[in-house]
Structures are given as C-alpha cells and as structure tokens.
Amino acid sequence: MPKSTFFNLPQAKRERITELAIEEFSERPYHRASLTRLVARAGIAKGSVYQYFDDKLDLYRWLLTEEVPRRKLAHLRAEAEAAPPTSLRGFLRQAVLSGVRFMLANPRLSQLAAAVTMPTDDPELRALYAEVLAQGHAGFTTMLRGMVQAGQLRDDVDPELAARVIASVLGIGLRDIVLGQLGVDMLALLREPSMAERLDDAALERLVDGVLTILVDGLAPPP
Amino acid sequence: MPKSTFFNLPQAKRERITELAIEEFSERPYHRASLTRLVARAGIAKGSVYQYFDDKLDLYRWLLTEEVPRRKLAHLRAEAEAAPPTSLRGFLRQAVLSGVRFMLANPRLSQLAAAVTMPTDDPELRALYAEVLAQGHAGFTTMLRGMVQAGQLRDDVDPELAARVIASVLGIGLRDIVLGQLGVDMLALLREPSMAERLDDAALERLVDGVLTILVDGLAPPP
DNA sequence: TAGTCATATGACTGTATGGTCATATCGTCA
DNA sequence: TGACGATATGACCATACAGTCATATGACTA
C-alpha cells in the first residue's frame, strides 16, 4: 500500500507518476522495470519514490491489485448498461466483447493484468500473482456453476475445468488472436495505441462471433 | 549456433552443461537467468561459456530452436507409434494427450517452450519468440485447413482462428489446468518432478476428455 | 624436447539496479 | 519572524550481471 504521502500529493503529480509507472511496468517484466528510469522520466528524485511507497514491489502491487481492477471495473460497468446476460452465449459474448474492447482501449492495463500468468522464480511475485489469479478463477467458476444449475451449460462438463479453458481463451488466447488480426505484437500496440483502430467494428464482431461459435458450439460440424 | 568447441566437448561434459543450462533458463525469465550462476554450478570458468557460444542469447536460442524441438519430437514420435489420427476428435485427443504427457515428463522443456508466449521488451528476444511462434501456428493452421476440406471441421469456423483458440488452450490453458489439478505451481513442479505422479492415468483421461468435450462439442447442452 | 594449436581460466571492466540517508526545502501556524 | 513537521533531493552504497582478455594448461606433433 502506498504511504499517505502519495495520496497527499497534488492530483496532477500523483496521476503523472501513476501513468508513468503503468507505462514502465507494462512494457517490461517486473524485474526489468526500472525505478531509476521511472523517476528520470517523472522528473522526481529517486528518494521520493520511497516517500510514496515501501519499495518497488509495493508500487507494483498497488498497480496490480488496486489501480488496474479499479479501472477495469469502471470500463465493464460502463459497457454493461444493459441487463446482465442470462444465457451462456450472452454471458460469453459480453465477456469476450468487453475483454477485447478493454484490451484495445487500454493495452497497458491489459498487459499489466496479463503479467500474472507469467511464471516467475521470485517468491514474493509468485505469491502476488497467485492471489490475483485465484480471485479471478473463483469468480469464473461460481458464475459457471450457476449456469449448470440453470441448464445453460452441458451437464457433463466440469465447471472448474470449463472456467480454466475459458480463462485461457479469454486471457492469452484472445490477446494473441486480436494481435494476430492487427498484425502487430503487444509492445507495438502499447507504444502506438492508435493501431487498435485498424480493427473496425465489423471485423471485431466477426472475430468475437468466431470465438463464440467455437466455445459454445464446438469445432465439430453439426450432425 | 554453438561454436565447434562446444560439440568437440566430451559428451558427458557437454550434456552436463546442457542440463544445467536448461535448469537455469527454465526456472527464470531470460534476463534473470544468470551465466555466472550457471558456470558456478557447472564447475567451469565464465570464459568457457564464450568458447562454446557467441553470447548468452546464442546459448538460449540453441536451447529453444534446437534442443527443445529435438527432444519434443522424439517424445511425440515415441507416442505416435499408432497410425496418424484422421478424425478431428482423434487428432485433438492425440495432441492434448501428448501435450500433457510431455509436460508432465519434461516440465523444464515444456516451460522453456512456453516462454515464447511471454511479452518482452527486448527486440532480439521478441524476434526469436515470434519466429518460434509463427512456425507452430503455421503448422496448426495447415492441419486444420486439411480437416475443413475433409469435412471434419464445421465450415463456418475460420481455420486460422480455430488454430489460435486451440493453441491457447493447448499451450497456456492446459498447463494451468494440469497444475490446478496437481495443486502446485510450475516452479514447484520443476523442482520436484515426481509430483507429476500424483496425477494417475484415470485422472489424466478424465481431464483430457473434459477438455476435448469442450473443444469438440462446445459448452452448450445438446439441443 | 621444443613447438604449436585448441581449450580453459578467473580477475577485471563497465554498466545498471534497488535502496539509503544526511541534508535541504516548503508550508503553515504561533 | 521563527520554528516545526512534512516532503523532496541526489550522491552514494552494495550488489549483480554480461562480456573481455591476458595468461595458463594440456594434448599432440615433429
């Protein structure tokens, strides 16, 4: 958790530091991200970081567990003005669409969130990642369990297994699919977010429906 | 490419160095892997590494593009004594089963191979990863395209898209699923490979069939 | 034995990092 | 004005790393 000093900062300064931190940590894996570079770009002194945060991990943890979820939720809420979906297809469609839109609109936050799937040897990082992952997985499983009871999900599918399959597709898979369609890699998108516009709404719909068909109806041709 | 000096080494020494390199690079992301630690554990001098390889990246590239594929192919060939599968389900089943078995038998190689999906800011690493990924994706797409023509795949599915969905499930997804079932994380499995035995054949079959059902038949209940 | 070539060595260099701390500055209130 | 608590500073420290290079070793030949 940031120290009170950080929250006492003038809003503009605090936001500038936050944005630059997101930039730094989204472009590099944790141990390659550099506080030295961050402070140089922010125009503040090295020591100031330690007035605001306990240490590097404290800053990173704050981004990952507070700042990213806060912004992501704001995005999802803004998209879900409609009633919550009741069918499996509707639920997945909303999940996929929101996921893609969030990623295209906020590649840096999306990249930060994706970092938790990366294996690492650092024990403290592993603990942090495991915590974030477990939270997401639990939410998914609960939702799918509800769908089994409502008869929306075939009953010979284990909800927990389905949650992992969906999570892998929505997480890494979707990112790769969208980047593949755009013909760029993640770092390029981070540095030139306007590239996202090359994927127009029609193409996006086609993409989402393609993935949906596979997940909902399967790969086999109908009998 | 390793220099000739490396291949002139007595086999035992060369293999020891190779194993330790696999250990070092599988437990840590590239930039955290340390040649200093590698040579200390191998009992050779720092300079010797530079008699065998151009630099750190040369060693890593060799592992990723030569050593890992060589061993993986050997594993797959050994498993595919039967005729090549002709149905979609048979094809996927073999892919999933072989994938899981390889991962359980060779967690370190599997981890090395998975590293190419990690985003990185290092341009040389990105090029290497892109190369390895593109190769795999092309192979997958070709195979699925053949299945479309054979009527094995529903014709409203884009083979390229299906290839990415399957790849994400077989890649990251399957790893998470298996680790979830084992109740450990990857690093723990790397360091204690015998943990893999806690997943007996029956459990493995159930797992594979569960994933297969989702991919082949979809999540929706049959009408 | 003397000479030659491939190989092995490890001290050393340059560079970058996270984190510390004594000192300076600022804002506010008496 | 003076003084005090909060905040800002950047030189500095210990540490770790990839990569270099002058030197040593060993094996083989003439």
Side-chain angles (χ1 to χ4, degrees):
Chain A
M1 265 294 133
K3 302 178 182 176
S4 62
T5 313
F6 182 62
F7 296 111
N8 292 340
L9 245 35
Q11 188 181 347
K13 184 172 184 180
R14 199 180 66 224
E15 281 175 358
R16 187 164 41 88
I17 294 176
T18 303
E19 289 316 308
L20 286 171
I22 289 175
E23 219 169 293
E24 182 66 25
F25 282 97
S26 64
E27 289 196 11
R28 297 162 179 86
Y30 176 75
H31 281 102
R32 294 253 295 162
S34 156
L35 295 187
T36 304
R37 182 166 37 214
L38 171 60
V39 298
R41 299 222 286 145
I44 61 174
K46 187 78 155 287
S48 293
V49 172
Y50 292 85
Q51 302 271 19
Y52 308 148
F53 301 92
D54 288 338
D55 50 22
K56 186 183 181 183
L57 186 64
D58 188 40
L59 164 53
Y60 185 59
R61 173 182 290 125
W62 177 69
L63 289 179
L64 221 51
T65 64
E66 305 282 331
E67 199 60 13
V68 172
R70 193 177 61 77
R71 300 193 189 190
K72 192 162 192 173
L73 274 180
H75 176 99
L76 294 186
R77 284 221 187 82
E79 287 228 335
E81 65 274 67
T86 54
S87 76
L88 173 68
R89 182 169 225 115
F91 161 69
L92 280 178
R93 184 165 228 280
Q94 180 161 315
V96 173
L97 258 180
S98 291
V100 175
R101 290 224 178 92
F102 179 74
M103 179 198 148
L104 290 176
N106 308 276
R108 302 207 110 93
L109 300 183
S110 168
Q111 174 66 15
L112 267 177
V116 302
T117 68
M118 294 199 246
T120 173
D121 59 307
D122 185 304
E124 287 181 304
L125 267 190
R126 284 208 290 156
L128 174 59
Y129 290 170
E131 181 194 322
V132 174
L133 273 177
Q135 223 164 358
H137 181 63
F140 245 135
T141 305
T142 305
M143 224 172 293
L144 282 171
R145 228 185 278 281
M147 298 225 158
V148 169
Q149 288 178 347
Q152 296 286 343
L153 199 72
R154 53 189 308 142
D155 50 12
D156 57 343
V157 160
D158 172 19
E160 187 141 335
L161 192 62
R164 288 195 197 276
V165 170
I166 294 176
S168 77
V169 172
L170 290 191
I172 301 296
L174 213 55
R175 195 197 62 187
D176 288 352
I177 290 166
V178 171
L179 290 177
Q181 288 284 327
L182 284 174
V184 300
D185 64 23
M186 194 63 192
L187 195 62
L189 181 61
L190 292 188
R191 295 195 173 154
E192 196 41 75
S194 66
M195 278 178 170
E197 294 159 15
R198 279 167 28 192
L199 198 68
D200 59 19
D201 268 4
L204 200 95
E205 294 278 325
R206 247 180 290 127
L207 207 65
V208 168
D209 283 327
V211 176
L212 266 189
T213 301
I214 294 174
L215 280 181
V216 176
D217 301 326
L219 290 163
Chain B
M1 263 295 131
K3 303 178 181 176
S4 62
T5 314
F6 182 62
F7 296 112
N8 291 340
L9 245 34
Q11 188 181 346
K13 184 173 185 179
R14 199 179 66 226
E15 282 176 356
R16 187 164 43 89
I17 293 175
T18 303
E19 289 315 310
L20 286 171
I22 289 175
E23 219 170 292
E24 183 66 24
F25 282 96
S26 65
E27 289 196 11
R28 296 161 179 87
Y30 175 76
H31 282 102
R32 294 255 295 162
S34 155
L35 295 187
T36 304
R37 184 167 33 215
L38 171 60
V39 298
R41 299 221 287 146
I44 61 175
K46 186 77 157 286
S48 293
V49 172
Y50 291 85
Q51 302 272 20
Y52 307 148
F53 301 91
D54 288 338
D55 51 22
K56 188 183 180 183
L57 186 64
D58 188 41
L59 163 53
Y60 186 59
R61 174 183 288 124
W62 177 68
L63 289 180
L64 221 52
T65 64
E66 305 281 333
E67 199 59 11
V68 171
R70 194 177 62 76
R71 299 192 190 191
K72 193 163 190 171
L73 275 181
H75 176 98
L76 294 186
R77 285 221 185 83
E79 287 227 336
E81 65 275 66
T86 54
S87 76
L88 172 69
R89 183 170 222 113
F91 161 69
L92 281 179
R93 182 165 230 277
Q94 180 161 314
V96 173
L97 257 180
S98 292
V100 175
R101 290 223 179 93
F102 179 74
M103 180 200 148
L104 290 175
N106 308 276
R108 302 206 110 95
L109 300 183
S110 168
Q111 174 65 15
L112 267 178
V116 301
T117 68
M118 294 199 243
T120 172
D121 59 309
D122 185 306
E124 288 183 302
L125 265 191
R126 284 208 291 157
L128 173 59
Y129 289 171
E131 181 194 322
V132 174
L133 273 177
Q135 225 165 357
H137 181 63
F140 245 134
T141 305
T142 305
M143 224 173 292
L144 283 171
R145 230 185 275 282
M147 297 221 160
V148 169
Q149 289 179 346
Q152 296 286 342
L153 199 71
R154 52 188 310 143
D155 50 14
D156 57 344
V157 160
D158 173 19
E160 188 143 331
L161 192 62
R164 288 196 198 275
V165 170
I166 294 176
S168 78
V169 173
L170 291 191
I172 302 296
L174 212 54
R175 195 196 62 187
D176 288 352
I177 290 166
V178 170
L179 289 178
Q181 288 285 327
L182 285 173
V184 300
D185 64 22
M186 195 62 189
L187 195 63
L189 181 61
L190 292 188
R191 296 196 171 153
E192 196 41 76
S194 65
M195 278 178 170
E197 294 159 15
R198 278 168 26 193
L199 198 68
D200 60 19
D201 268 3
L204 200 94
E205 294 277 326
R206 248 180 289 129
L207 207 65
V208 168
D209 283 327
V211 175
L212 265 188
T213 300
I214 294 174
L215 279 181
V216 175
D217 301 326
L219 289 164

